[in-house]
Amino acid sequence: MSETSETGSGANFCAACGAPIHGGKFCSNCGSPSGVHQAITPQMAAAPLSGSEPHAADQPAAEPGNGHSALGGDGRFATPTETHTIVTGPFAAAPAPASKRGRGTWLAIGAVALAAVAVVLAVVLISSSGDSNKPPNAGTAYKRQVAAVFGPMLGANQQVSAALAAVRGTQPNEARLAVRQAQQATTAATGALGALTVPPGQQGLAGAGQQVLDREVAYLATVAAVLNHPTVAGASQLQTLSSNLTSALSAAGPTIAGQQQTVSGTDRLNSWAHTTSRTLQRRAAAKRTKARAKARSGSGSGSGAVAPVTNPYSNGNNCGDGVYAGPNTSCSFALNVRDAYNDAPGATASVRVYSPVTNRTYTMSCRPTGSGVTCAGANNASVTF
């Protein structure tokens, strides 16, 4: 039996006399310091941190000698090393809970701050939503209504400007149609503006709108007249009327005039009027010559003298330039009939003619009579030139 078995498992021995030591700081045999200390395990070191005592089952069995040499392989006592176990890891990690508590405090402060920011943002959003739901004041509402009134007219002006820039030939039907549509839009805008109730402080805007409408009417009437009768006299007014309308729109501001220029093309219309007027005059002269020649051959007169065209209507109108309108015919329509006939081939022709008075198009049949040409049709309309 070994000495360890005799003295019990896990016994230490005195370094001075070799007597077994079962505990205590001094040898019970010789009184020398035993040098025995209890080994501290990681579980024991962590026990104060967790607030519980380590269980006996969790404590590892003490190494022989608790840092001193145990029995050697030959069964003899080995020389004690007088060394002790140094515990490091658990004690160094002890302040960790304090650090965790610090982080937890800052996290709580951050959470409170975020909650405060969220509350502020919610208040701002609710306030903004409330403002957006408020109805506009009377002045703002009136401006919106005025802008809606002039929108269609401005769009029609753009169509007129585009048509004038592209005007060609002696029958500018597209430009004439664009002008008629703009005139209709202007009439509608005049009625709509007059139906609005002007709130306090908006009288200036209302007056500016009415001035724009007045100048728009004058401008479109002249453009229509030039397109129907391209005379130099009518074309000379275009630039002035266009400038007046542009100035009124600029003074009225974007509520009425929009964000871009809508009136243009008068330079091109002016140039077209000069060229077309000369072309129509040459055609008219050639047709008159043919008509007179045919009248002379029909009458059998050899004198060659042709009487000038006179007004054949007792209640008719002298429209100028040798054109006479019957009692049921306007001069504007009579002049259109003369121009349409000059553009048609042959001495006898059937032409379609637009009437600015009724805003309709009629069929007129024309043939040489006497020293001129007489056209009849529509609603008892008659024209001689």
Side-chain angles (χ1 to χ4, degrees), residues 91-104:
F91 290 102
S99 175
K100 291 180 180 179
R101 287 193 298 271
R103 286 198 297 271

Side-chain angles (χ1 to χ4, degrees), residues 221-291:
T222 302
V223 171
V226 171
L227 288 172
N228 291 326
H229 313 291
T231 61
V232 177
S236 63
Q237 304 175 18
L238 284 173
Q239 195 62 43
T240 299
L241 294 173
S242 173
S243 178
N244 291 342
L245 176 57
T246 302
S247 298
L249 287 168
S250 178
T255 299
I256 292 176
Q259 300 294 334
Q260 58 184 350
Q261 177 75 18
T262 59
V263 179
S264 63
T266 53
D267 290 340
R268 169 58 191 159
L269 180 59
N270 199 355
S271 175
W272 171 87
H274 282 74
T275 302
T276 305
S277 178
R278 291 192 296 267
T279 300
L280 292 177
Q281 288 175 1
R282 288 195 299 268
R283 290 181 181 178
K287 278 205 167 188
R288 285 195 296 269
T289 300
K290 291 182 180 180

Side-chain angles (χ1 to χ4, degrees), residues 12-385:
N12 294 305
F13 302 92
C14 178
C17 66
I21 298 174
H22 297 283
K25 295 183 179 180
F26 299 93
C27 177
S28 60
N29 183 45
C30 65
S32 299
S34 64
V36 177
H37 304 285
Q38 184 180 8
I40 300 175
T41 66
Q43 292 82 351
M44 297 173 63
L49 300 178
S50 63
S52 62
E53 293 295 330
H55 300 287
D58 296 332
Q59 299 183 19
E63 293 292 332
N66 269 348
H68 303 281
S69 297
L71 290 174
D74 54 358
R76 293 179 296 176
F77 294 110
T79 304
T81 61
E82 294 293 330
T83 60
H84 309 284
T85 302
I86 299 176
V87 181
T88 56
F91 290 102
S99 175
K100 291 180 180 179
R101 287 193 298 271
R103 286 198 297 271
T105 302
W106 284 109
L107 288 174
I109 294 174
V112 172
L114 289 175
V117 171
V119 171
V120 172
L121 289 176
V123 172
V124 171
L125 290 175
I126 293 173
S127 176
S128 300
S129 176
D131 292 340
S132 62
N133 292 330
K134 292 181 180 179
N137 57 40
T140 302
Y142 180 73
K143 289 180 180 179
R144 292 177 181 175
Q145 292 172 337
V146 170
V149 165
F150 281 90
M153 190 193 79
L154 296 177
N157 279 350
Q158 289 181 325
Q159 296 298 321
V160 171
S161 298
L164 294 182
V167 66
R168 297 289 187 279
T170 58
Q171 291 295 325
N173 294 324
E174 291 185 3
R176 290 171 179 170
L177 176 61
V179 172
R180 288 198 298 272
Q181 292 174 343
Q183 288 174 323
Q184 293 171 356
T186 302
T187 301
T190 301
L193 184 65
L196 296 179
T197 301
V198 182
Q202 299 300 323
Q203 289 79 7
L205 182 62
Q210 188 58 54
Q211 185 179 45
V212 167
L213 291 173
D214 293 341
R215 295 187 178 183
E216 177 86 9
V217 170
Y219 168 72
L220 291 177
T222 302
V223 171
V226 171
L227 288 172
N228 291 326
H229 313 291
T231 61
V232 177
S236 63
Q237 304 175 18
L238 284 173
Q239 195 62 43
T240 299
L241 294 173
S242 173
S243 178
N244 291 342
L245 176 57
T246 302
S247 298
L249 287 168
S250 178
T255 299
I256 292 176
Q259 300 294 334
Q260 58 184 350
Q261 177 75 18
T262 59
V263 179
S264 63
T266 53
D267 290 340
R268 169 58 191 159
L269 180 59
N270 199 355
S271 175
W272 171 87
H274 282 74
T275 302
T276 305
S277 178
R278 291 192 296 267
T279 300
L280 292 177
Q281 288 175 1
R282 288 195 299 268
R283 290 181 181 178
K287 278 205 167 188
R288 285 195 296 269
T289 300
K290 291 182 180 180
R292 288 170 181 173
K294 188 174 181 179
R296 285 196 301 268
S297 63
S299 62
S301 173
S303 62
V306 179
V309 178
T310 59
N311 189 352
Y313 311 108
S314 58
N315 296 323
N317 297 313
N318 185 352
C319 300
D321 199 20
V323 178
Y324 300 93
N328 299 319
T329 309
S330 65
C331 280
S332 58
F333 181 72
L335 292 170
N336 284 351
V337 171
R338 188 271 313 270
D339 294 340
Y341 173 78
N342 289 337
D343 288 337
T348 300
S350 178
V351 294
R352 295 280 294 171
V353 185
Y354 168 74
S355 171
V357 175
T358 62
N359 198 28
R360 295 178 59 184
T361 300
Y362 301 95
T363 299
M364 299 289 288
S365 298
C366 304
R367 60 185 180 83
T369 56
S371 59
V373 176
T374 297
C375 301
N379 294 329
N380 296 322
S382 57
V383 180
T384 299
F385 49 90

